[in-house]
Amino acid sequence: MQPHRHRLRGATDHRRRHERTACPAHRQSVSRSSQSRLRNLAFATRTVSETDTATGDLGSIERDLTLLGLVSMIDPIRAEVPAAMATVLAAGVKVDIVTGDFSLTALAIARQAGLVAPDGSPGGELVVVTGAQLATMTDADVLARAGAGGTVFSRVAPEDKVRIVDLLKASGRVVAVTGDGINDAPALRHANIGVAMGASGTDVAKQSAEIVLLDDSFASLVGAVRLGRTIYQNIRKGVLSCLTSNIAEFTVNSASLGLASAFGVPLALNVLQILAIDLLGEIFPIAALGRDPEEGETMRDEPRDPAARILNRRSLVDIVVAGGVMGLLAFANYLLLYSRNSVDPFVDVVPLTVLAQAMTITYVTIMVCQLVSITQRRSVHGFFTRYQFTNRTYWLAIAVAVAIMLVIVYVPAVATLFGTAPLGILDWAFVLGAALIFLAIREAGRVLVRK
């Protein structure tokens, strides 16, 4: 392997000198082939004496060579790459090309792949930085170029790739590096996410990476970004939905305990009814959110800050307001049921049947409003959107949740266990009215926030 490496290095080094010193015709030939996305390898010969080889100095050996010709090779870009590049750029991901290829070749490949200029204009000129220029640049300048995207780093060495990756990571960015060769291994190892090519990549590159693309397709990597964002959004919807009902339960229990302490009003919910909401009612729809497909806006958002959390100031305000409204509506239905039955819970001894119905309407109101809340959270466009019909599993889970709720209310043996009682048509009208009020407030809030 040692002689072969020397011959390859000699040919490569000569190619670099040839680009500087060859005759104009040869220069034009190299430029034309490079602009056609061809990689060029020069072949040259020279008779070497034993004295030359004894020194081991490649510089003295690789001189006065006679050029035999150029071999041009191409690794064609797949047809799906330009569309995938447009998708990932629209998602706010900054893309640079870092390669050991000649600058004209790298620039031609970047243009065909659809890489845009740092200012985002498709027709803008890409920035090219050669390895020699990179060596003279400060870390701040390199970071500015790489962080802006749309930069083609050509003729770079493995240590140059590592330098770029380390600077981007130190600035707080999440860096993904794709590569297939031995020279890419250090950068793959230093990146937050190393992505190696599975079909054409070397074993060293695969062992240095966290992800191996079996089809060597950039589009597959973009698909992984899309899937990751979708999974995160589904988890976020589930977490916020779960906490919303918890706030509603807290609101009802706080108000109920306050009235019980001050006026002796019975509690609006018992422990089993709370568990029925959390463990039997909402759990199936929330779990089904994991099968929600990508929404159209998923790949139009800027990359998420790694330090950002699902529970931030905005989301906390959202769940407190939504849960608070849900809880107040449920508690209002609790008190209104007493009024419809001509019972004053502040003065009278409440009959057990009426108390069971009052507790039931509280439980049912929270449950129905929670199902509305989960559905409304599924889409950035709210409740009334075609996206609501994209996940059949979700609606099956809704049906299961409603069936469980009806069993708890109307099956005598189960109702006795949970302390519930059957509701009449008028009671259900108040439940649905509360759900409509809740939905109207949520939709109005969504519109105001988007404005």
Side-chain angles (χ1 to χ4, degrees):
M1 293 299 297
Q2 190 75 1
H4 173 73
R5 185 167 65 249
H6 282 179
R7 287 198 299 271
L8 180 59
R9 179 179 175 183
T12 303
D13 289 348
H14 178 75
R15 178 184 64 178
R16 294 176 180 174
R17 288 196 296 272
H18 175 74
E19 292 165 357
R20 297 192 300 267
T21 61
C23 66
H26 288 157
R27 286 176 177 269
Q28 293 176 3
S29 176
V30 172
S31 296
R32 283 196 303 269
S33 59
S34 298
Q35 291 170 359
S36 299
R37 308 182 309 281
L38 294 170
R39 294 181 173 91
N40 303 299
L41 186 64
F43 285 86
T45 185
R46 173 188 173 224
T47 301
V48 180
S49 66
E50 292 184 2
T51 303
D52 293 328
T53 57
T55 62
D57 182 8
L58 291 177
S60 62
I61 296 175
E62 297 173 3
R63 60 182 175 81
D64 299 330
L65 299 173
T66 301
L67 179 66
L68 300 179
L70 295 171
V71 173
S72 297
M73 301 166 288
I74 189 170
D75 184 8
I77 289 180
R78 301 189 182 204
E80 67 270 16
V81 169
M85 180 68 75
T87 300
V88 79
L89 291 176
V93 178
K94 305 299 183 183
V95 181
D96 298 304
I97 291 181
V98 186
T99 178
D101 286 339
F102 182 42
S103 57
L104 290 179
T105 303
L107 186 58
I109 293 173
R111 286 171 176 164
Q112 187 190 25
L115 186 65
V116 300
D119 61 2
S121 58
E125 189 60 33
L126 297 172
V127 177
V128 179
V129 177
T130 65
Q133 293 172 329
L134 185 64
T136 62
M137 294 173 63
T138 65
D139 288 349
D141 291 337
V142 174
L143 179 60
R145 286 295 187 192
T151 301
V152 179
F153 295 92
S154 65
R155 283 281 192 252
V156 295
E159 55 269 25
D160 295 326
K161 298 179 182 180
V162 172
R163 180 190 178 194
I164 295 172
V165 170
D166 287 346
L167 287 173
L168 289 171
K169 284 182 62 178
S171 69
R173 294 173 172 85
V174 176
V175 185
V177 173
T178 63
D180 58 3
I182 296 176
N183 290 341
D184 298 318
L188 291 171
R189 177 65 68 182
H190 280 243
N192 295 104
I193 307 169
V195 183
M197 304 298 109
S200 61
T202 61
D203 290 339
V204 174
K206 296 176 188 178
Q207 292 169 3
S208 301
E210 284 77 27
I211 298 175
V212 177
L213 297 179
L214 299 180
D215 59 358
D216 289 8
S217 175
F218 181 73
S220 296
L221 181 58
V222 177
V225 174
R226 185 192 307 272
L227 182 59
R229 289 190 173 192
T230 301
I231 292 173
Y232 176 81
Q233 289 300 328
N234 291 344
I235 292 174
R236 181 178 182 275
K237 289 184 286 188
V239 170
L240 297 183
S241 296
C242 183
L243 293 177
T244 299
S245 66
N246 294 156
I247 295 296
E249 294 160 1
F250 175 80
T251 302
V252 169
N253 288 331
S254 297
S256 184
L257 285 171
L259 292 183
S261 300
F263 305 102
V265 177
L267 296 179
L269 284 173
N270 62 37
V271 175
L272 286 180
Q273 290 165 357
I274 294 174
L275 292 177
I277 297 172
D278 297 337
L279 299 182
L280 299 178
E282 68 181 13
I283 189 170
F284 296 105
I286 289 177
L289 292 175
R291 301 200 63 177
D292 272 359
E294 173 206 2
E295 195 167 12
E297 286 75 10
T298 302
M299 292 298 286
R300 298 176 190 171
D301 297 332
E302 290 293 316
R304 179 175 56 88
D305 184 350
R309 298 292 181 265
I310 292 177
L311 294 180
N312 50 44
R313 179 179 299 178
R314 180 174 178 179
S315 63
L316 285 173
V317 170
D318 178 52
I319 62 176
V320 168
V321 171
V325 170
M326 187 186 300
L328 290 176
L329 289 170
F331 197 69
N333 269 348
Y334 171 74
L335 296 178
L336 287 172
L337 187 134
Y338 287 129
S339 177
R340 290 197 300 275
N341 286 274
S342 301
V343 174
D344 185 354
F346 295 88
V347 178
D348 302 334
V349 175
V350 179
L352 293 180
T353 303
V354 177
L355 174 59
Q357 285 184 320
M359 297 174 72
T360 301
I361 200 171
T362 307
Y363 153 68
V364 170
T365 301
I366 294 178
M367 192 66 244
V368 173
C369 287
Q370 172 66 340
L371 296 180
V372 171
S373 176
I374 297 172
T375 304
Q376 198 264 351
R377 285 190 186 277
R378 288 187 63 214
S379 172
V380 296
H381 300 292
F383 192 89
F384 303 99
T385 173
R386 292 182 180 179
Y387 180 79
Q388 299 293 356
F389 301 100
T390 58
N391 183 355
R392 293 182 180 179
T393 304
Y394 174 77
W395 291 106
L396 177 61
I398 289 287
V400 171
V402 172
I404 292 174
M405 179 181 66
L406 294 177
V407 167
I408 291 175
V409 174
Y410 289 104
V411 175
V414 180
T416 300
L417 175 64
F418 284 89
T420 58
L423 298 178
I425 295 177
L426 183 59
D427 298 328
W428 280 107
F430 274 82
V431 170
L432 295 178
L436 290 175
I437 293 173
F438 176 78
L439 177 59
I441 293 174
R442 291 292 294 162
E443 286 291 296
R446 180 186 62 81
V447 173
L448 291 176
V449 170
R450 288 178 68 88
K451 288 181 179 181

